[in-house]
PDB file of all heavy atoms in Angstrom:
ATOM      1  N   ASP A 226      -5.029 -45.728-112.340  1.00  0.00           N
ATOM      2  CA  ASP A 226      -6.273 -46.160-113.018  1.00  0.00           C
ATOM      3  C   ASP A 226      -7.128 -45.079-113.190  1.00  0.00           C
ATOM      4  O   ASP A 226      -7.512 -44.223-112.353  1.00  0.00           O
ATOM      5  CB  ASP A 226      -6.958 -47.327-112.058  1.00  0.00           C
ATOM      6  CG  ASP A 226      -7.981 -48.061-112.799  1.00  0.00           C
ATOM      7  OD1 ASP A 226      -8.971 -47.433-113.200  1.00  0.00           O
ATOM      8  OD2 ASP A 226      -7.836 -49.331-112.957  1.00  0.00           O
ATOM      9  N   ARG A 227      -7.693 -44.988-114.502  1.00  0.00           N
ATOM     10  CA  ARG A 227      -8.511 -43.764-114.811  1.00  0.00           C
ATOM     11  C   ARG A 227      -9.827 -43.686-114.040  1.00  0.00           C
ATOM     12  O   ARG A 227     -10.463 -42.651-113.866  1.00  0.00           O
ATOM     13  CB  ARG A 227      -8.909 -43.760-116.263  1.00  0.00           C
ATOM     14  CG  ARG A 227      -7.690 -43.389-117.105  1.00  0.00           C
ATOM     15  CD  ARG A 227      -8.083 -43.593-118.752  1.00  0.00           C
ATOM     16  NE  ARG A 227      -7.985 -44.958-119.075  1.00  0.00           N
ATOM     17  CZ  ARG A 227      -8.585 -45.405-120.104  1.00  0.00           C
ATOM     18  NH1 ARG A 227      -9.080 -44.641-121.000  1.00  0.00           N
ATOM     19  NH2 ARG A 227      -8.460 -46.673-120.438  1.00  0.00           N
ATOM     20  N   ARG A 228     -10.292 -44.950-113.468  1.00  0.00           N
ATOM     21  CA  ARG A 228     -11.453 -44.925-112.640  1.00  0.00           C
ATOM     22  C   ARG A 228     -11.187 -44.345-111.244  1.00  0.00           C
ATOM     23  O   ARG A 228     -12.066 -44.022-110.430  1.00  0.00           O
ATOM     24  CB  ARG A 228     -12.072 -46.291-112.613  1.00  0.00           C
ATOM     25  CG  ARG A 228     -12.611 -46.749-113.904  1.00  0.00           C
ATOM     26  CD  ARG A 228     -12.671 -48.329-113.955  1.00  0.00           C
ATOM     27  NE  ARG A 228     -11.415 -48.812-113.918  1.00  0.00           N
ATOM     28  CZ  ARG A 228     -11.200 -50.266-114.217  1.00  0.00           C
ATOM     29  NH1 ARG A 228     -12.220 -50.900-114.532  1.00  0.00           N
ATOM     30  NH2 ARG A 228      -9.940 -50.700-114.105  1.00  0.00           N
ATOM     31  N   PHE A 229      -9.917 -44.203-110.799  1.00  0.00           N
ATOM     32  CA  PHE A 229      -9.434 -43.539-109.667  1.00  0.00           C
ATOM     33  C   PHE A 229      -9.081 -42.034-109.952  1.00  0.00           C
ATOM     34  O   PHE A 229      -9.133 -41.224-109.065  1.00  0.00           O
ATOM     35  CB  PHE A 229      -8.244 -44.216-108.975  1.00  0.00           C
ATOM     36  CG  PHE A 229      -8.650 -45.534-108.411  1.00  0.00           C
ATOM     37  CD1 PHE A 229      -7.606 -46.458-108.411  1.00  0.00           C
ATOM     38  CD2 PHE A 229      -9.752 -45.753-107.850  1.00  0.00           C
ATOM     39  CE1 PHE A 229      -7.911 -47.728-107.751  1.00  0.00           C
ATOM     40  CE2 PHE A 229     -10.209 -47.005-107.266  1.00  0.00           C
ATOM     41  CZ  PHE A 229      -9.210 -47.982-107.288  1.00  0.00           C
ATOM     42  N   GLY A 230      -8.696 -41.715-111.159  1.00  0.00           N
ATOM     43  CA  GLY A 230      -8.253 -40.417-111.466  1.00  0.00           C
ATOM     44  C   GLY A 230      -7.081 -40.451-112.593  1.00  0.00           C
ATOM     45  O   GLY A 230      -7.068 -41.390-113.326  1.00  0.00           O
ATOM     46  N   SER A 231      -6.185 -39.522-112.486  1.00  0.00           N
ATOM     47  CA  SER A 231      -5.056 -39.612-113.412  1.00  0.00           C
ATOM     48  C   SER A 231      -3.766 -39.349-112.578  1.00  0.00           C
ATOM     49  O   SER A 231      -3.749 -39.210-111.441  1.00  0.00           O
ATOM     50  CB  SER A 231      -5.191 -38.245-114.266  1.00  0.00           C
ATOM     51  OG  SER A 231      -5.137 -37.141-113.611  1.00  0.00           O
ATOM     52  N   ASN A 232      -2.655 -39.551-113.306  1.00  0.00           N
ATOM     53  CA  ASN A 232      -1.311 -39.377-112.615  1.00  0.00           C
ATOM     54  C   ASN A 232      -1.237 -37.877-112.011  1.00  0.00           C
ATOM     55  O   ASN A 232      -0.796 -37.822-110.882  1.00  0.00           O
ATOM     56  CB  ASN A 232      -0.230 -39.501-113.630  1.00  0.00           C
ATOM     57  CG  ASN A 232       0.050 -41.003-114.108  1.00  0.00           C
ATOM     58  OD1 ASN A 232      -0.876 -41.825-113.854  1.00  0.00           O
ATOM     59  ND2 ASN A 232       1.252 -41.262-114.576  1.00  0.00           N
ATOM     60  N   GLU A 233      -1.770 -37.026-112.726  1.00  0.00           N
ATOM     61  CA  GLU A 233      -1.665 -35.518-112.332  1.00  0.00           C
ATOM     62  C   GLU A 233      -2.530 -35.404-110.968  1.00  0.00           C
ATOM     63  O   GLU A 233      -2.272 -34.699-110.096  1.00  0.00           O
ATOM     64  CB  GLU A 233      -2.088 -34.698-113.363  1.00  0.00           C
ATOM     65  CG  GLU A 233      -1.177 -34.563-114.579  1.00  0.00           C
ATOM     66  CD  GLU A 233      -1.328 -35.776-115.516  1.00  0.00           C
ATOM     67  OE1 GLU A 233      -2.282 -36.499-115.410  1.00  0.00           O
ATOM     68  OE2 GLU A 233      -0.392 -35.943-116.374  1.00  0.00           O
ATOM     69  N   GLU A 234      -3.582 -36.034-110.999  1.00  0.00           N
ATOM     70  CA  GLU A 234      -4.565 -35.990-109.861  1.00  0.00           C
ATOM     71  C   GLU A 234      -4.007 -36.534-108.610  1.00  0.00           C
ATOM     72  O   GLU A 234      -4.142 -36.046-107.476  1.00  0.00           O
ATOM     73  CB  GLU A 234      -5.872 -36.613-110.080  1.00  0.00           C
ATOM     74  CG  GLU A 234      -6.869 -35.846-110.983  1.00  0.00           C
ATOM     75  CD  GLU A 234      -8.149 -36.508-111.335  1.00  0.00           C
ATOM     76  OE1 GLU A 234      -9.120 -36.361-110.454  1.00  0.00           O
ATOM     77  OE2 GLU A 234      -8.304 -37.355-112.212  1.00  0.00           O
ATOM     78  N   PHE A 235      -3.149 -37.702-108.858  1.00  0.00           N
ATOM     79  CA  PHE A 235      -2.506 -38.305-107.668  1.00  0.00           C
ATOM     80  C   PHE A 235      -1.527 -37.443-107.086  1.00  0.00           C
ATOM     81  O   PHE A 235      -1.373 -37.299-105.889  1.00  0.00           O
ATOM     82  CB  PHE A 235      -1.998 -39.682-108.220  1.00  0.00           C
ATOM     83  CG  PHE A 235      -1.243 -40.340-107.066  1.00  0.00           C
ATOM     84  CD1 PHE A 235      -1.937 -40.915-105.963  1.00  0.00           C
ATOM     85  CD2 PHE A 235       0.095 -40.485-106.933  1.00  0.00           C
ATOM     86  CE1 PHE A 235      -1.412 -41.614-104.926  1.00  0.00           C
ATOM     87  CE2 PHE A 235       0.640 -41.156-105.923  1.00  0.00           C
ATOM     88  CZ  PHE A 235      -0.083 -41.659-104.845  1.00  0.00           C
ATOM     89  N   VAL A 236      -0.743 -36.798-107.963  1.00  0.00           N
ATOM     90  CA  VAL A 236       0.425 -35.876-107.566  1.00  0.00           C
ATOM     91  C   VAL A 236      -0.298 -34.677-106.791  1.00  0.00           C
ATOM     92  O   VAL A 236       0.222 -34.358-105.706  1.00  0.00           O
ATOM     93  CB  VAL A 236       1.152 -35.352-108.699  1.00  0.00           C
ATOM     94  CG1 VAL A 236       2.166 -34.232-108.311  1.00  0.00           C
ATOM     95  CG2 VAL A 236       1.957 -36.462-109.469  1.00  0.00           C
ATOM     96  N   ALA A 237      -1.377 -34.159-107.290  1.00  0.00           N
ATOM     97  CA  ALA A 237      -2.066 -33.053-106.514  1.00  0.00           C
ATOM     98  C   ALA A 237      -2.645 -33.541-105.348  1.00  0.00           C
ATOM     99  O   ALA A 237      -2.550 -32.687-104.334  1.00  0.00           O
ATOM    100  CB  ALA A 237      -3.142 -32.594-107.571  1.00  0.00           C
ATOM    101  N   PHE A 238      -3.062 -34.833-105.151  1.00  0.00           N
ATOM    102  CA  PHE A 238      -3.643 -35.315-103.945  1.00  0.00           C
ATOM    103  C   PHE A 238      -2.499 -35.346-102.869  1.00  0.00           C
ATOM    104  O   PHE A 238      -2.653 -34.944-101.681  1.00  0.00           O
ATOM    105  CB  PHE A 238      -4.080 -36.733-104.161  1.00  0.00           C
ATOM    106  CG  PHE A 238      -4.437 -37.510-102.975  1.00  0.00           C
ATOM    107  CD1 PHE A 238      -5.640 -37.239-102.230  1.00  0.00           C
ATOM    108  CD2 PHE A 238      -3.503 -38.387-102.434  1.00  0.00           C
ATOM    109  CE1 PHE A 238      -5.837 -37.923-101.009  1.00  0.00           C
ATOM    110  CE2 PHE A 238      -3.827 -39.174-101.257  1.00  0.00           C
ATOM    111  CZ  PHE A 238      -5.021 -38.924-100.574  1.00  0.00           C
ATOM    112  N   VAL A 239      -1.302 -35.841-103.247  1.00  0.00           N
ATOM    113  CA  VAL A 239      -0.159 -35.794-102.351  1.00  0.00           C
ATOM    114  C   VAL A 239       0.172 -34.443-101.907  1.00  0.00           C
ATOM    115  O   VAL A 239       0.430 -34.179-100.666  1.00  0.00           O
ATOM    116  CB  VAL A 239       1.071 -36.450-103.020  1.00  0.00           C
ATOM    117  CG1 VAL A 239       2.320 -36.435-102.045  1.00  0.00           C
ATOM    118  CG2 VAL A 239       0.664 -37.941-103.381  1.00  0.00           C
ATOM    119  N   GLU A 240       0.142 -33.563-102.829  1.00  0.00           N
ATOM    120  CA  GLU A 240       0.460 -32.125-102.441  1.00  0.00           C
ATOM    121  C   GLU A 240      -0.520 -31.546-101.441  1.00  0.00           C
ATOM    122  O   GLU A 240      -0.179 -30.817-100.465  1.00  0.00           O
ATOM    123  CB  GLU A 240       0.557 -31.290-103.699  1.00  0.00           C
ATOM    124  CG  GLU A 240       1.699 -31.482-104.674  1.00  0.00           C
ATOM    125  CD  GLU A 240       1.643 -30.774-106.024  1.00  0.00           C
ATOM    126  OE1 GLU A 240       0.663 -30.161-106.200  1.00  0.00           O
ATOM    127  OE2 GLU A 240       2.639 -30.815-106.726  1.00  0.00           O
TER     128      GLU A 240
END
Side-chain angles (χ1 to χ4, degrees):
D226 195 295
R227 284 175 285 166
R228 292 159 297 191
F229 289 148
S231 65
N232 285 21
E233 292 77 16
E234 283 181 89
F235 182 70
V236 172
F238 170 79
V239 175
E240 290 175 349

